Amino acid sequence: MSISLGQGEAIARRNNQNEGSKNNQVLACYEAIKSQPDSAEVYQKLGDVYYSQGEIEKSIRSYQKAIELQPDLAILYGKLGKFYSQKG
C-alpha cells in the first residue's frame, strides 16, 4: 500500500500539529506555574504532559515537585514507582 503525495503531506501536517499541540501543553503548564507556583496539580499536569511525550526524567522531576508541594498525592507515588521499576 502506497501513500499519495497529498496523503503524505496531510500526515506530515497532522504530525506537526500534534507536535505543536504538545509544545503548547508544556507552555500552558509553565504559564500556570507562573501564576500558581505552589499548585501541585499544575506540576502533576506538567508531569503527565512530559510522560506523554516520552520525557520520563522531566516527568519524574515534575511529579517530585508536586509531591514536595502536596505530599498526600498518592497517585504520584504510584506513577513514580512505575517509572523507577521500569528503570530497574
Side-chain angles (χ1 to χ4, degrees):
M1 181 172 143
S2 66
I3 296 176
S4 72
L5 182 58
Q7 289 171 322
E9 288 176 13
I11 291 169
R13 211 175 283 138
R14 185 173 49 238
N15 288 340
N16 286 339
Q17 287 174 343
N18 288 342
E19 189 63 35
S21 174
K22 290 177 184 177
N23 290 335
N24 287 341
Q25 290 175 336
V26 170
L27 291 174
C29 287
Y30 279 111
E31 286 298 316
I33 288 169
K34 284 182 188 178
S35 64
Q36 304 172 47
D38 296 329
S39 173
E41 290 81 14
V42 174
Y43 282 99
Q44 179 179 353
K45 174 63 176 167
L46 180 60
D48 292 343
V49 171
Y50 278 137
Y51 178 75
S52 73
Q53 295 177 357
E55 299 276 356
I56 302 303
E57 292 301 321
K58 290 179 180 179
S59 182
I60 289 171
R61 286 193 301 270
S62 297
Y63 291 155
Q64 288 172 331
K65 179 64 177 179
I67 288 171
E68 179 184 312
L69 293 169
Q70 190 175 343
D72 63 346
L73 286 173
I75 191 166
L76 295 182
Y77 292 101
K79 289 181 181 188
L80 286 174
K82 176 182 164 186
F83 294 157
Y84 291 132
S85 175
Q86 288 174 348
K87 290 176 84 173

